[in-house]
C-alpha cells in the first residue's frame, strides 16, 4: 500500500501545526467560532450533541496494521475505548475534547494518517472498492488513481470553500461495491477499444434529501488528463453550484438543473482551457504511486481445499469470504454487526486484535468497507479456520455479510446533532428480532440501511430495505422504503406509505420479508422479487 | 461597509494590508463589471461573487487592478475568478477585499491574489505564520510554486 515520502509527511506535519495554531487562537478567543468552524470541520472535528466528534480519514479504506493499532490506541487514550467505522470507510470517535484534537492529529501523523477534509465544504476523503487489489473481477487496482486524486484534492486552494461537500469514489470492476453512482463524482476505470486504461466519469449522484443517480458525463478520460478533467468538473461546480440554499447546493442539483449534457459541455469548455495550464502530474507520478500497490508476495500452489466439517465455520466461509484473483486466497470480511450490537462499532481491544490479524494473515493490509465492516483482503484458504477461531473468540466471527442483520446505520439521535430519530436502537431491535425468529438465514442477500434523518448518512435510499427516521409531531417516526440498491444496478428506494413507531417498524420489516419469502422464485434475492412483483403486495401486507 | 468609502464602491490603497508587488499602488476607483462594460477605459474593476471573470478577458491589457470581493469568507467563487484571470495572462494587481481572514490569505495567494485588503485588519504575525507554514504544495496553480510531483520527477 501507499507509503508517505518526505513530501507527504511534511504536508501532514504542517497541517498538524496549522491546526494546533488555529485551536490555540480559538481557545484564546482571537479566532471566532464562526470563522473557526470550517477550519475544524476540514480537520474532521464536528460539534455533536454531547461532545466533539473526530472523523479520521482512511484513504480508499486501506490501512496497515500499525495504523489500525494506532486507531485502537486513540480510542483508549482520547475516547471511551470505542471507535465507529463509517459508511465513508472512515473511523469516528464520539467523545473528543477540542484541546486534545491537535495531539490526536499528531499521533495520527506518526502512522501516516490524518483527518484532512473528512468534513466541510470541500473534496472529502476518496472512497473505493474494499476488495481493490484482491477481487477476481477487477480490471486493475483502482487505488493508485484514488491516491493521485487524494494528493490533488488535499489543500487544493481553489476548492476549499465549495457550495457544499464533495465526495469522490473510484472503482475498477463491473460490480460496484462502493456505491459509485451515488457520489458527486463516481469514476470507473475502464479499458477502451484500443486497450488503453482510462476513466469513465459519472457526475451528480448523491443521497441526502434529493437522491440522484449520477449520469455518465464522459465515457473515457485518458490517464494523463485525469487531474485536469477533475479540476474542470470542480471549477464548473465551484462557479455555478447554488449557494442560495444549502439544500440545493450539492453538484447533483446543478447537474440536474443544467441537464447532464449542458454540464458536460461546460466541463469540456473549461477542460480545453485547463489543458494548456500544465496542471497535470506526469504519468511517471502515477507509475511511482502504482509501485506501492504492487501485489504482495502471494504464494503459488496453495491448497483450495477447505475442511467444512465444522458447520459454523463453513457458514462463515460461505457468507463472509469473497473470491480472490490469486488461487488459494480469499478476502475475508470481519463483521462489525454482532446480534444486537451497534453497527460499525469496535472496542479498542477488538481494533488492536484486527490489527494483529491483519499482520498475521493478510500481508499487513486491511480495509474498511462502506457497509461498516473490516476486510482482510488476502487470506490463505488453508489458514481460514485458524483466523475464524480467533475472530470467534473476540466476538468478531458473525457470519452475516450482506444478510438482513448486516445493517448500515448512521449514529442517529444518540450522537448526531442533525438527527431527528435514533437509528442504533432500531438496528439493534431488527437484528435481535431476526436472530430470534430464525429467518435471517433464509433471506439470503438483503441489505438493510437506516438513516436517522433525511441527510441519509445511513444510505436508506440505497437499501433493499431502507428506513428513514423522521420527527412527527415531536415523536420519532420511521418510514419504510423498498427497492433501493447501491450496486451496479443502482436504484433508489420508494416509500411504502405512512410511517411506523419504533416497534412498528421492526414488525413492518418482518412483514416485508414474509412477502418476499412467500413470493420469491428460484434464486431471487429480496430485491429481485420486489422488482418483479412491485410495491402492491408489500403495501397490502403492511397496511391492508 | 469597510469595503466602500465616501467616494463610492472602491477600496482605498490605505486599506491594502498586504501586497506582494513592486509597482505603485493605483488609486483610481474600481468600477463594477457592469459599468466597466460601458466605460472600457477604466483601469480598475471589482468582481462580485456572481460575476463572470471571463467577461473581463478582452480588456486585460488595460486593467491595472482587479478587486475580487468576498462578502462572506465561505463563498469560494472568488478563488476561481482569480485563477481564471491569471490563467488568461492577467499580470496586474489582483486584490482580495471583503471578509478576508488569516486562515484564507495563503490559499488566496496560491490562486493568484497578490494584494489583500481585509475589511478587518489582520494580526500580522498570524498572517506571516500562515504564509510560511507550507513547505510544499500538491497542485500547480500558476502561482509559481513547484508542485510536489514536479519535485519528485523534475
Amino acid at each position: 500500500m501507499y507509503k508517505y515520502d518526505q513530501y507527504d509527511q511534511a504536508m501532514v506535519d504542517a497541517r498538524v501545526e496549522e491546526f494546533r495554531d488555529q485551536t490555540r487562537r480559538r481557545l484564546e478567543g482571537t479566532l471566532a467560532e464562526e470563522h473557526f468552524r470550517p477550519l475544524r470541520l476540514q480537520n474532521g472535528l464536528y460539534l455533536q450533541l454531547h461532545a466533539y466528534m473526530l472523523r479520521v480519514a482512511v484513504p480508499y479504506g486501506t490501512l496497515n496494521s500499525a495504523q489500525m493499532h494506532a486507531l485502537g490506541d486513540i480510542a483508549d487514550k482520547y475516547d471511551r475505548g470505542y471507535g465507529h467505522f463509517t459508511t465513508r470507510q472512515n473511523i469516528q470517535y464520539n467523545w473528543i475534547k477540542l484541546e486534545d484534537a491537535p495531539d490526536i492529529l499528531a499521533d495520527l501523523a506518526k502512522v501516516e494518517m490524518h483527518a484532512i477534509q473528512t468534513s466541510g465544504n470541500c473534496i472529502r476523503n476518496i472512497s473505493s472498492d474494499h476488495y481493490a487489489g484482491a477481487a477476481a473481477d477487477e480490471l486493475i487496482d483502482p487505488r493508485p488513481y484514488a491516491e493521485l486524486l487524494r494528493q490533488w484534492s488535499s489543500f487544493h486552494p481553489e476548492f476549499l470553500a465549495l457550495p457544499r461537500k464533495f465526495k469522490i469514489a473510484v472503482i475498477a470492476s463491473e460490480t460496484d461495491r462502493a456505491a459509485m453512482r451515488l457520489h458527486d463524482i463516481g469514476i470507473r476505470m475502464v479499458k477502451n477499444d484500443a486497450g488503453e486504461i482510462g476513466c469513465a466519469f459519472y457526475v451528480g449522484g448523491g443521497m441526502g434529501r434529493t437522491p440522484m443517480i449520477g449520469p455518465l458525463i464522459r465515457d473515457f478520460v485518458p490517464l494523463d488528463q485525469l487531474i485536469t478533467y477533475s479540476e474542470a468538473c470542480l471549477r464548473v461546480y465551484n462557479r455555478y453550484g447554488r449557494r442560495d440554499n444549502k439544500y440545493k447546493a450539492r453538484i447533483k442539483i446543478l447537474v440536474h438543473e443544467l441537464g447532464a449534457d449542458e454540464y458536460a459541455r461546460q466541463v469540456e469548455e473549461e477542460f480545453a482551457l485547463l489543458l494548456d495550464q500544465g496542471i497535470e502530474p506526469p504519468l511517471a507520478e502515477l507509475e511511482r504511486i502504482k509501485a506501492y500497490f504492487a501485489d504482495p508476495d502471494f504464494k503459488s500452489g496453495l491448497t483450495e481445499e477447505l475442511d467444512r466439517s465444522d458447520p459454523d465455520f463453513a457458514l462463515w466461509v460461505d457468507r463472509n469470504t469473497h473470491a480472490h484473483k490469486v488461487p488459494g486466497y480469499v478476502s475475508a470480511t470481519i463483521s462489525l454487526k454482532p446480534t444486537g450490537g451497534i453497527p460499525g462499532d469496535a472496542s479498542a481491544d477488538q481494533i488492536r486484535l484486527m490489527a494483529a490479524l491483519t499482520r498475521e494473515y493478510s500481508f499487513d493490509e486491511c480495509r474498511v468497507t462502506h457497509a461498516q465492516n473490516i476486510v482482510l483482503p488476502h487470506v490463505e484458504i488453508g489458514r481460514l479456520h485458524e483466523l475464524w477461531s480467533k475472530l470467534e473468540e473476540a466476538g468478531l466471527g458473525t457470519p452475516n455479510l450482506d444478510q438482513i442483520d448486516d445493517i448500515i446505520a448512521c449514529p442517529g439521535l444518540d450522537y448526531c446533532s442533525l438527527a431527528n430519530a435514533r437509528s442504533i436502537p432500531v438496528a439493534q431491535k431488527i437484528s435481535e428480532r431476526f436472530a430470534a425468529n430464525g429467518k435471517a438465514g433464509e433471506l439470503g442477500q438483503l441489505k438493510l440501511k437506516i438513516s436517522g434523518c433525511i441527510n441519509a448518512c445511513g444510505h436508506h435510499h440505497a437499501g433493499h430495505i431502507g428506513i428513514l427516521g423522521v420527527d412527527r409531531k415531536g415523536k420519532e417516526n420511521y418510514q419504510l422504503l423498498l427497492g433501493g440498491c447501491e450496486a451496479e444496478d443502482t436504484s433508489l428506494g420508494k416509500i411504502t406509505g405512512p410511517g411506523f413507531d419504533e416497534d412498528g417498524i421492526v414488525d413492518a420489516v418482518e412483514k416485508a420479508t414474509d412477502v418476499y419469502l412467500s413470493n420469491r422464485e428460484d434464486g431471487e434475492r429480496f430485491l429481485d422479487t420486489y422488482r418483479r412483483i412491485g410495491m402492491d403486495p408489500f403495501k397490502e401486507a403492511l397496511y391492508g | 461597509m469597510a469595503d466602500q468609502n465616501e467616494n463610492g464602491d472602491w477600496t482605498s490603497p490605505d486599506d491594502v494590508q498586504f501586497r506582494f508587488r513592486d509597482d505603485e499602488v493605483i488609486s483610481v476607483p474600481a468600477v463594477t463589471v457592469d459599468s466597466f462594460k460601458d466605460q472600457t477605459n477604466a483601469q480598475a474593476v471589482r468582481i462580485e461573487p456572481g460575476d463572470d471573470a471571463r467577461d473581463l478577458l478582452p480588456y486585460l491589457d488595460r486593467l491595472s487592478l482587479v478587486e475580487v470581493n468576498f462578502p462572506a469568507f465561505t463563498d469560494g467563487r472568488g478563488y476561481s475568478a482569480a485563477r481564471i484571470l491569471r490563467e488568461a495572462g492577467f499580470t496586474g494587481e489582483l486584490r482580495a477585499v471583503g471578509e478576508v481572514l488569516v486562515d484564507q490569505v495563503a490559499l488566496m495567494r496560491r490562486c493568484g491574489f497578490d494584494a489583500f485588503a481585509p475589511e478587518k485588519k489582520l494580526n500580522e504575525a498570524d498572517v506571516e505564520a500562515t504564509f510560511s507554514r507550507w513547505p510544499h504544495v500538491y497542485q500547480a496553480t500558476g502561482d509559481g510554486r513547484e508542485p510536489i510531483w514536479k519535485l519528485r520527477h523534475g
Side-chain angles (χ1 to χ4, degrees):
Chain A
M1 59 181 274
Y2 190 68
K3 292 279 299 165
Y4 285 4
D5 66 2
Q6 72 203 76
Y7 301 112
D8 298 310
Q9 190 66 50
M11 294 300 276
V12 168
D13 290 344
R15 179 62 153 204
V16 173
E17 287 321 304
E18 179 186 56
F19 191 61
R20 197 180 288 286
D21 180 54
Q22 290 165 342
T23 305
R24 173 188 60 79
R25 283 185 278 133
R26 173 73 199 111
L27 292 170
E28 284 171 6
T30 56
L31 181 55
E33 170 58 20
E34 166 205 1
H35 294 152
F36 179 58
R37 188 171 172 275
L39 307 175
R40 67 167 162 75
L41 288 175
Q42 294 191 3
N43 284 287
L45 206 60
Y46 283 76
L47 187 53
Q48 292 291 37
L49 285 176
H50 312 290
Y52 282 97
M53 180 271 278
L54 179 71
R55 181 182 296 152
V56 175
V58 181
Y60 31 88
T62 298
L63 292 161
N64 64 28
S65 61
Q67 292 171 326
M68 191 70 163
H69 190 94
L71 294 178
D73 286 349
I74 286 170
D76 266 343
K77 191 169 165 191
Y78 301 102
D79 200 275
R80 296 184 177 178
Y82 278 88
H84 178 75
F85 290 94
T86 79
T87 56
R88 292 279 304 154
Q89 301 180 285
N90 293 321
I91 184 170
Q92 294 177 181
Y93 298 100
N94 283 312
W95 303 95
I96 296 299
K97 292 190 194 75
L98 174 58
E99 51 272 37
D100 284 341
D103 293 333
I104 303 175
L105 298 186
D107 284 1
L108 288 169
K110 286 179 199 151
V111 289
E112 303 182 6
M113 292 187 78
H114 58 75
I116 296 160
Q117 291 168 219
T118 53
S119 177
N121 295 333
C122 52
I123 303 171
R124 301 289 188 87
N125 182 47
I126 290 161
S127 57
S128 186
D129 186 336
H130 47 255
Y131 296 138
D137 64 354
E138 78 180 6
L139 176 66
I140 44 165
D141 189 336
R143 293 173 300 165
Y145 312 94
E147 174 59 27
L148 190 74
L149 287 162
R150 182 191 75 82
Q151 296 187 24
W152 161 75
S153 60
S154 295
F155 325 113
H156 196 304
E158 188 178 342
F159 305 131
L160 290 172
L162 294 170
R164 202 71 179 85
K165 58 187 168 184
F166 203 94
K167 300 175 182 177
I168 301 177
V170 187
I171 66 170
S173 56
E174 287 293 322
T175 307
D176 182 358
R177 290 173 284 260
M180 182 272 285
R181 291 187 70 188
L182 297 169
H183 283 73
D184 297 280
I185 290 181
I187 296 173
R188 186 199 299 279
M189 306 306 299
V190 292
K191 196 180 258 184
N192 67 8
D193 293 342
E196 299 155 337
I197 300 286
C199 313
F201 268 66
Y202 295 82
V203 184
M207 292 192 246
R209 60 186 68 203
T210 319
M212 298 210 187
I213 298 171
L216 182 68
I217 293 297
R218 203 186 214 243
D219 58 2
F220 193 85
V221 176
L223 290 182
D224 60 356
Q225 298 179 339
L226 168 58
I227 294 303
T228 309
Y229 192 80
S230 302
E231 189 137 327
C233 288
L234 263 295
R235 181 175 286 176
V236 171
Y237 172 55
N238 190 42
R239 298 186 77 206
Y240 299 113
R242 286 181 60 171
R243 292 174 187 264
D244 59 323
N245 180 342
K246 181 182 169 188
Y247 302 119
K248 295 185 189 292
R250 295 285 293 270
I251 193 173
K252 62 192 173 190
I253 303 293
L254 176 70
V255 173
H256 181 72
E257 288 181 353
L258 287 177
D261 291 347
E262 173 58 17
Y263 172 75
R265 189 194 64 75
Q266 293 188 17
V267 169
E268 288 299 328
E269 218 171 79
E270 195 68 57
F271 177 56
L273 293 165
L274 282 171
L275 278 175
D276 297 333
Q277 294 297 326
I279 62 174
E280 189 76 35
L283 282 175
E285 174 61 3
L286 202 45
E287 291 306 314
R288 184 191 74 87
I289 293 171
K290 271 160 96 173
Y292 289 107
F293 292 95
D295 279 347
D297 231 347
F298 291 125
K299 294 179 198 162
S300 55
L302 288 176
T303 178
E304 306 226 9
E305 294 289 307
L306 195 68
D307 177 357
R308 299 176 62 91
S309 54
D310 180 338
D312 290 343
F313 168 63
L315 183 69
W316 179 81
V317 171
D318 289 342
R319 290 200 179 146
N320 285 36
T321 63
H322 186 267
H324 199 283
K325 63 183 182 183
V326 177
Y329 290 89
V330 290
S331 300
T333 297
I334 303 173
S335 170
L336 300 182
K337 319 290 177 64
T339 302
I342 297 175
D345 268 21
S347 70
D349 286 339
Q350 288 177 327
I351 294 172
R352 283 185 292 251
L353 173 69
M354 291 189 283
L357 298 176
T358 292
R359 190 169 48 243
E360 200 174 335
Y361 294 97
S362 188
F363 293 96
D364 204 29
E365 222 184 285
C366 66
R367 311 286 172 77
V368 183
T369 81
H370 87 267
Q372 305 179 277
N373 292 314
I374 302 297
V375 166
L376 300 184
H378 315 297
V379 182
E380 288 178 32
I381 289 171
R383 298 181 74 196
L384 276 173
H385 190 271
E386 192 183 312
L387 168 66
W388 171 77
S389 306
K390 290 179 183 175
L391 290 172
E392 272 286 273
E393 221 171 280
L396 292 169
T398 315
N400 63 350
L401 177 62
D402 293 339
Q403 308 283 303
I404 192 166
D405 50 341
D406 181 12
I407 298 169
I408 290 181
C410 70
L413 198 52
D414 290 299
Y415 294 99
C416 178
S417 54
L418 301 173
N420 298 122
R422 290 165 304 148
S423 308
I424 292 169
V426 173
Q428 290 171 312
K429 284 187 177 177
I430 291 171
S431 159
E432 282 162 357
R433 169 75 61 91
F434 281 87
N437 68 18
K439 288 180 191 164
E442 251 184 281
L443 292 168
Q445 191 198 82
L446 204 170
K447 299 185 184 180
L448 195 150
K449 311 187 184 202
I450 308 174
S451 304
C453 79
I454 54 178
N455 291 309
C457 297
H459 295 189
H460 65 274
H461 300 296
H464 299 177
I465 295 179
I467 295 173
L468 167 62
V470 296
D471 175 284
R472 192 159 158 269
K473 296 176 187 154
K475 278 198 166 161
E476 290 163 294
N477 187 267
Y478 296 91
Q479 295 180 341
L480 185 67
L481 294 89
L482 302 176
C485 181
E486 85 295 356
E488 60 283 2
D489 51 344
T490 320
S491 58
L492 301 170
K494 289 200 170 66
I495 295 174
T496 55
F500 304 88
D501 66 13
E502 188 177 323
D503 290 324
I505 190 68
V506 181
D507 294 337
V509 168
E510 188 170 357
K511 282 181 191 163
T513 59
D514 287 342
V515 173
Y516 160 65
L517 289 175
S518 55
N519 283 277
R520 75 170 159 194
E521 292 179 354
D522 276 357
E524 273 187 343
R525 303 169 297 167
F526 176 91
L527 181 65
D528 303 321
T529 302
Y530 169 82
R531 285 174 174 169
R532 179 172 55 79
I533 68 176
M535 181 66 98
D536 287 347
F538 292 94
K539 270 191 169 166
E540 180 61 29
L542 290 164
Y543 306 106
Chain B
M1 279 173 65
D3 58 354
Q4 291 191 347
N5 69 9
E6 63 282 9
N7 298 323
D9 57 346
W10 66 293
T11 309
S12 136
D14 297 343
D15 297 330
V16 177
Q17 194 183 359
F18 303 94
R19 195 166 185 272
F20 300 89
R21 301 181 63 87
D22 299 330
D23 55 352
E24 286 276 304
V25 183
I26 72 152
S27 52
V28 295
V31 302
T32 66
V33 172
D34 274 350
S35 338
F36 179 75
K37 288 176 186 162
D38 299 331
Q39 49 176 102
T40 45
N41 58 343
Q43 261 190 289
V45 64
R46 167 179 293 206
I47 295 180
E48 297 295 337
D51 292 332
D52 185 353
R54 291 211 164 93
D55 286 349
L56 302 179
L57 299 191
Y59 316 106
L60 292 185
D61 293 356
R62 60 174 175 275
L63 275 173
S64 310
L65 167 67
V66 177
E67 292 183 354
V68 177
N69 189 24
F70 289 85
F73 79 106
T74 48
D75 187 333
R77 285 177 283 185
Y79 295 92
S80 289
R83 286 199 61 201
I84 284 167
L85 292 171
R86 290 300 189 213
E87 285 165 9
F90 178 62
T91 56
E93 179 174 331
L94 196 48
R95 185 186 293 172
V97 307
E99 196 173 33
V100 174
L101 304 171
V102 168
D103 295 288
Q104 278 74 41
V105 286
L107 303 170
M108 290 173 173
R109 204 170 158 196
R110 291 225 58 224
C111 289
F113 288 100
D114 54 9
F116 303 89
E119 65 189 13
K120 282 189 188 141
K121 288 269 186 269
L122 307 180
N123 178 304
E124 306 223 344
D126 288 343
V127 171
E128 283 312 312
T130 75
F131 279 138
S132 58
R133 171 157 289 123
W134 296 96
H136 307 291
V137 296
Y138 275 121
Q139 310 80 8
T141 59
D143 66 342
R145 295 193 73 174
E146 297 218 312
I148 287 171
W149 49 258
K150 184 101 180 157
L151 300 174
R152 282 173 180 149
H153 301 283

